[in-house]
């Protein structure tokens, strides 16, 4: 019941954030029109606040206790997929709507910078390492800090809800009470560090993967793993060989 309620809410907020239309409905389900109408009736300013171009409080909210931005619309879009367990939609990996989708888009941008702008492989490798998850990426449309934390937190919150917590309790324990280490929780949701690394390195994103030079896919994967490793070591919640 808690998961269903959280899923219904995340779908509505996903739509408010601009992650709507048939593509997203087929990815993580259709938003409940009655719930959407009820929210609009009781809280008429919410659709704008949760929109991509809405109130800055919700668009680029700072994570409690840290000067880190979170893309709330992106968070709800990812969360809706992680919470959805519809039989027919299970063929769409949940990570596609989260970090994997951003990671492969990042690889595609690296490829584009190499082809169109002539940037060298070594320079791009350095740039990828420093840009992914950075609050001020060097180029637009990159896998920056707000998307990075939205992806991590969406998966983490979903595991808490899937383990029985309500949406409110999961958010409160995660953000306000600091009951969970962000990166350790994320890594452990994949069964530990080695399983996580194997999962990332073995991830295949059709139809994007065949269109991108494998060098840049490997580059994006390495940069993502490195960023997670840094966060995990800072928390000291997981053992990494």
């Amino acid at each position: 019941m808690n998961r269903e309620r959280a899923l219904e809410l995340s779908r509505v907020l996903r739509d408010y954030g601009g992650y709507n239309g048939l593509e997203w409905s087929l990815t993580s389900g259709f938003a409940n029109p009655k719930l959407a109408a009820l929210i609009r009736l009781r809280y008429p300013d919410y659709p704008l606040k949760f929109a991509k171009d809405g109130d800055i409080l919700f668009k680029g909210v700072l994570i409690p206790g840290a000067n880190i931005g979170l893309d709330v619309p992106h968070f709800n879009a990812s969360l809706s997929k992680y919470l959805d367990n519809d039989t027919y939609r299970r063929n769409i990996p949940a990570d596609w709507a989260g970090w994997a989708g951003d990671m492969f888009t990042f690889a595609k941008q690296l490829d584009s910078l190499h082809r169109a702008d002539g940037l060298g492989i070594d320079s791009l490798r350095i740039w990828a390492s420093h840009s992914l998850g950075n609050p001020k990426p060097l180029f637009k449309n990159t896998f920056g800090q707000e998307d990075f934390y939205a992806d991590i937190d969406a998966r983490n919150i979903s595991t808490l809800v899937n383990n029985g917590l309500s949406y409110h309790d999961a958010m409160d324990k995660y953000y306000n009470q600091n009951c969970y280490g962000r990166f350790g929780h994320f890594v452990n949701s994949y069964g530990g560090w080695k399983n996580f690394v194997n999962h990332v390195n073995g991830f295949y994103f059709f139809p994007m993967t065949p269109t991108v030079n494998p060098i840049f896919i490997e580059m994006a994967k390495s940069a993502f793993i490195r960023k997670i490793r840094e966060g995990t070591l800072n928390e000291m919640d997981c053992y990494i060989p």
Side-chain angles (χ1 to χ4, degrees), residues 95 99 155-156 159 163 183-200 228 232 237-241:
D95 292 329
W99 58 264
R155 180 170 178 89
N156 287 345
T159 60
N163 284 332
F183 295 99
H185 190 68
F186 179 74
V187 169
N188 287 332
S189 73
Y190 289 97
W193 180 253
K194 290 184 177 180
N195 287 336
F196 163 71
V197 171
N198 290 336
H199 181 74
V200 175
I228 297 297
T232 309
D237 281 346
C238 286
Y239 168 73
I240 300 179

Side-chain angles (χ1 to χ4, degrees), residues 93-108:
D95 292 329
W96 280 11
W99 58 264
D102 286 330
M103 185 178 70
F104 279 92
T105 301
F106 185 66
K108 188 174 182 179

